[in-house]
Amino acid sequence: MRPRSAPAAAGRRFVPALVCAAAALLTGCGVPGSGVVEAGGPATVEAFPGTPNRLTLFFLSPEGRLTPVLRATRDDAQAPPVATAQVVTVLLDGPEPQESKAGLGTGLPSSAGPVDVASSRGTIRITLPFPVRRLKNNAVRQIVCTAAYAEGREDAAAIVLAGGDGTLAPARCGGALPGTASSR
């Protein structure tokens, strides 16, 4: 066995000291540790149809959150906008298979009846072919937001839903929904 040279032994002692110094510098930067900081819910995205040949429908995410879905209607960019009653009818048909596979769903009953839409003095009245008073908040929001976007008045339009069991108070896409059941 060969005796160690002084420079090699000093180098071996220097490496652990260097590692300790680097660790102290990296961990001792003056920023105190903290626990988990709650910063609110996940980011949301507002989706606006850029052309009249797209529908904005609102479905529910797996967590029950309102989620906009854009659907193309025609290839013709000059086509007139789709009537609000038709857009709500498409919403009532529910998510398409690929939307369901992505986890989107609906809180609305399936419907085979007609939807009627009337507009007067800043209020849009939507008459649906099913009772509306027992709809949960998110189901009402699906219709209110879909109709508001179809009208091009996202937060400005007061939407009134009517059904066989009566009428709900006016609601806006971004506003509170009075007179409905709990959200889930």
Side-chain angles (χ1 to χ4, degrees), residues 59-62 65-69 95-96 98-106:
F59 291 111
L60 301 178
S61 72
R65 292 192 180 99
L66 210 58
T67 304
V69 173
E96 291 184 341
Q98 70 271 19
E99 295 162 348
S100 293
K101 282 182 186 176
L104 297 176
T106 184

Side-chain angles (χ1 to χ4, degrees), residues 71-177:
R71 281 198 197 159
T73 58
R74 304 177 187 92
D75 290 332
D76 181 7
Q78 302 302 317
V82 178
T84 301
Q86 269 187 288
V87 177
V88 172
T89 299
V90 171
L91 173 70
L92 296 178
D93 289 341
E96 291 184 341
Q98 70 271 19
E99 295 162 348
S100 293
K101 282 182 186 176
L104 297 176
T106 184
L108 298 166
S110 56
S111 172
V115 173
D116 183 59
V117 176
S119 185
S120 174
R121 297 184 195 168
T123 300
I124 300 164
R125 180 183 174 92
I126 301 173
T127 304
L128 299 160
F130 50 79
V132 295
R133 291 199 169 275
R134 290 192 179 152
L135 291 175
K136 294 183 179 181
N137 283 344
N138 282 344
V140 172
R141 283 191 186 282
Q142 281 185 260
I143 299 169
V144 167
C145 290
T146 296
Y149 274 72
E151 291 282 323
R153 300 161 59 189
E154 293 79 33
D155 286 329
I159 311 283
V160 174
L161 300 184
D165 62 345
T167 303
L168 298 181
R172 288 182 165 70
C173 184
L177 299 170

